[in-house]
Amino acid sequence: MKGVVFTGNRGLKLADFPDPSVGPREVVLEIKASGMCGSDLHIYRATGSQTALGFQAASPVVAGHEPCGVVAEVGEGVNPNEAKIGARVMVHHYSGCGLCPHCRTGWSQMCVEGSTVYGITGHGGHAPYMKVPASTLVPLPDDLSFETGAAISCGTGTAYGALRRIGLSGRDTIAIFGQGPVGLSATQFAVAMGARVIAADIGEERLALARRFGADATINAGGADPLGAIKDLTHGRGADLTLDTSGRPEGRLLAVRAARAWGTACFVGEGSNVTIDVSPDMLRKQLTIVASWTFSTVGQADCAQFVADRKIPVDDLFTERWRLEQADEAYKLFDTQTTGKGVFVM
Ligand SMILES: [Zn+2]
Ligand SMILES: [Zn+2]
């Protein structure tokens, strides 16, 4: 089979891989949709000597960490309730030792023995087939499309996990910095949870999407005074909750500064850094800063159920649908960070 491999410096190729075959406790999936996530850009852009987000693959791997499809082959020792041929499934895109406290609570990305991250250090979903341990599978509710399942497998699930971590409620005003795939998902969820949403980005196309998804106000963060604009919308106080999905120093600092006294700022964007003036920006405001990294297997299933129950239009995040053969064009466009989300469909 052919799979997409990132070669560094914004390069990729379709490389040959043997069709995967199952071992004990494993399944092979026929991939139906494989999403493009913002964190893929860190790997796509990495130069030869760089490690992307602290991960380094031993040998070239199939990219794509938002896999969704159907079970095509089941190995020995797999419980039939875990995986049946033809079952529609998402993948929790990590695997660990299975025994440590993190693995046992569904957080295998934090495994004390180290974790395989599918699409980054293990073969991912940008290929017709993918082999994973049966324990990584999360059922896809019947009402949800494969594309929606792909989004939930990283970007959309991450947005849901962050809003749950910071306890968003209908009485809150939340400012969300970055309206890429994670930020737009957060906007959809926060609206569905009844909150008042202020969406910020530097791109007008993305702000238009945020308005379509129900944001009460949008702010161009590249404008003259984005912090002042948020203060104006919040009676001079700042937002109850803020979320940075941009991963950029400016976005993080705005998230810290736009939060009100006793408020909470949450970081989910990956990479880069930030410098915070601790006394005025944190101490004097009694600020809480929460870091939220993706979600557990249980959190992924909860997110999918919420999307199904509340009929969240996750498919509307996708502005581009691609064939695997178009991967080069697909990532070149995604790299501009001006569009919605892209997905490979098979
Ligand atoms: Zn473990
Ligand atoms: Zn991701």
Side-chain angles (χ1 to χ4, degrees):
M1 67 176 190
K2 296 264 190 209
V4 175
V5 174
F6 294 131
T7 54
N9 292 308
R10 297 179 156 87
L12 61 79
K13 62 180 180 186
L14 273 162
D16 284 308
F17 292 92
D19 286 352
S21 55
V22 287
R25 305 280 307 125
E26 291 177 333
V27 297
V28 169
L29 305 183
E30 184 186 337
I31 299 294
K32 296 291 189 184
S34 184
M36 299 165 73
C37 179
S39 55
D40 288 320
L41 292 176
H42 293 278
I43 308 152
Y44 176 66
R45 292 169 180 167
T47 55
S49 58
Q50 262 180 319
T51 61
L53 305 175
F55 298 115
Q56 187 90 63
S59 55
V61 296
V62 176
H65 63 270
E66 294 187 341
C68 190
V70 296
V71 175
E73 208 184 330
V74 177
E76 264 176 61
V78 174
N79 181 322
N81 293 326
E82 240 176 339
K84 286 191 185 77
I85 300 280
R88 302 168 82 250
V89 292
M90 301 178 285
V91 176
H92 185 251
H93 65 273
Y94 312 94
S95 70
C97 71
L99 299 171
C100 76
H102 303 303
C103 286
R104 285 189 181 281
T105 51
W107 291 93
S108 52
Q109 61 268 55
M110 296 166 67
C111 177
V112 297
E113 304 285 335
S115 175
T116 298
V117 187
Y118 296 107
I120 301 177
T121 63
H123 293 313
H126 288 359
Y129 296 97
M130 177 180 178
K131 180 174 75 168
V132 288
S135 58
T136 66
L137 300 183
V138 179
L140 179 68
D142 289 341
D143 298 348
L144 302 189
S145 70
F146 291 113
E147 288 95 326
T148 287
I152 290 168
S153 298
C154 190
T156 294
T158 292
Y160 183 80
L163 297 182
R164 293 289 303 266
R165 275 287 298 278
I166 58 178
L168 181 84
S169 80
R171 62 173 191 269
D172 294 316
T173 295
I174 183 168
I176 302 171
F177 297 92
Q179 295 292 311
V182 176
L184 286 170
S185 291
T187 293
Q188 288 188 321
F189 284 134
V191 168
M193 292 170 186
R196 178 170 172 246
V197 177
I198 301 170
D201 197 280
I202 53 173
E204 286 299 330
E205 193 178 334
R206 289 182 161 183
L207 291 175
L209 283 170
R211 281 191 291 275
R212 204 178 111 205
F213 294 156
D216 296 88
T218 54
I219 286 173
N220 192 315
D225 185 14
L227 184 59
I230 290 167
K231 292 281 174 76
D232 286 347
L233 287 163
T234 53
H235 317 286
R237 290 196 289 258
D240 303 294
L241 303 167
T242 63
L243 178 69
D244 175 68
T245 69
S246 76
R248 302 198 42 89
E250 315 85 83
R252 287 183 181 138
L253 199 56
L254 269 174
V256 165
R257 292 193 170 153
R260 65 177 290 178
W262 300 103
T264 296
C266 180
F267 293 167
V268 298
E270 286 265 16
S272 191
N273 223 316
V274 64
T275 302
I276 296 168
D277 196 347
V278 171
S279 290
D281 290 338
M282 293 182 65
L283 271 67
R284 305 282 177 267
K285 294 190 345 182
Q286 313 276 9
L287 183 71
T288 300
I289 297 184
V290 173
S292 187
W293 183 32
T294 59
F295 42 80
S296 68
T297 48
V298 176
Q300 185 170 350
D302 283 351
C303 176
Q305 197 61 64
F306 186 86
V307 168
D309 289 348
R310 304 300 180 93
K311 301 184 170 50
I312 311 283
V314 172
D315 278 346
D316 292 354
L317 292 173
F318 294 107
T319 51
E320 272 78 34
R321 287 175 171 76
W322 305 96
R323 315 297 304 180
L324 275 182
E325 300 72 45
Q326 297 173 294
D328 192 46
E329 192 188 340
Y331 274 96
K332 279 199 172 93
L333 180 68
F334 195 47
D335 190 37
T336 66
Q337 292 190 280
T338 56
T339 61
K341 193 174 172 77
V343 61
F344 295 98
V345 287
M346 281 132 246

